[in-house]
Amino acid sequence: MSPKKIALLAASLALAAHVQAQTVPTTGTLVIVPATGEVTHANDEATASFMVEEQDKDKAAAASRVNQKMKEGTELVRKEDPQAVLKTMGYYTYPVYPEDRPVPVDGVAVKKPRLPTSWRVGQYLEVKTSNIAGLPKMTSSVQKTLALNGIGFGLSPATTKKLDDQRIKVTYQNLNERIASIAAAMGRKVSDAVVETIDFEGSGNYTGDAQAGSAAAPRLMRSQAMNEQQVAEPSFEPGDTTLQMRLVGKVKFK
């Protein structure tokens, strides 16, 4: 290679290095910074659903047995867990019709009024409690009279409020960490960054906890009706709930 070409190549490399070494001015730059945070806590509240259903040709007899069993079940809950919050709901009564169809006579279907053969009567009882330790014993006692229809675990309002304070802190901390990383990548000091706006709703993409919809979300355990005199205590695993938060910050560099 001739000396002239070598000189031109060296000049080109030097120019490229100089251009690469230059940084884009960032004065007045507005940066949108998303941040996230989450906290996890053991579930400390349970919501159990009990039910009773009776079937009888006599509607009044079926209703009477349902009313009596619901009263007994309610008393058992109050005895085992006086602090529990109870709510009766979903009372229903509907007829049960025969499955046979009318036999046609001379090819013509005979229309006869359908009469119910029996009646089904039922009711639900919702029990909300923070006594997780006593939940198996209470459930076993109530199952002597009522059936366990389902149970879900979540966080109490007080715990949710406490965790809400915590997740705001960890989310804001994550915002500061990301701003520091962005400033370093831009070759700027953190002190050059000024937070102009913080949107704690995450521009409409806020992610709530599983209990608000409930979430999420809580795991359900199903149990079939059990009317034996003695019922073994069930085993429950309350699990935990993770609360998340997303925020968006607008940061301007001086």
Side-chain angles (χ1 to χ4, degrees), residues 43 46 132 135-136 151-154 218-221 234-240:
N43 291 325
I132 303 298
L135 183 61
I151 186 167
F153 297 94
R219 297 180 299 175
L220 293 180
M221 298 181 180
S235 298
F236 297 125
E237 295 296 337
D240 53 41

Side-chain angles (χ1 to χ4, degrees), residues 207-251:
T207 303
D209 55 85
Q211 182 172 338
S214 225
R219 297 180 299 175
L220 293 180
M221 298 181 180
R222 297 294 178 184
S223 176
Q224 297 179 348
M226 303 177 69
N227 294 320
E228 293 83 355
Q229 293 299 318
Q230 296 296 331
V231 180
E233 291 187 9
S235 298
F236 297 125
E237 295 296 337
D240 53 41
T241 295
T242 297
L243 303 182
Q244 299 176 328
M245 174 171 282
R246 182 176 186 270
L247 68 79
V248 175
K250 292 184 180 180
V251 182

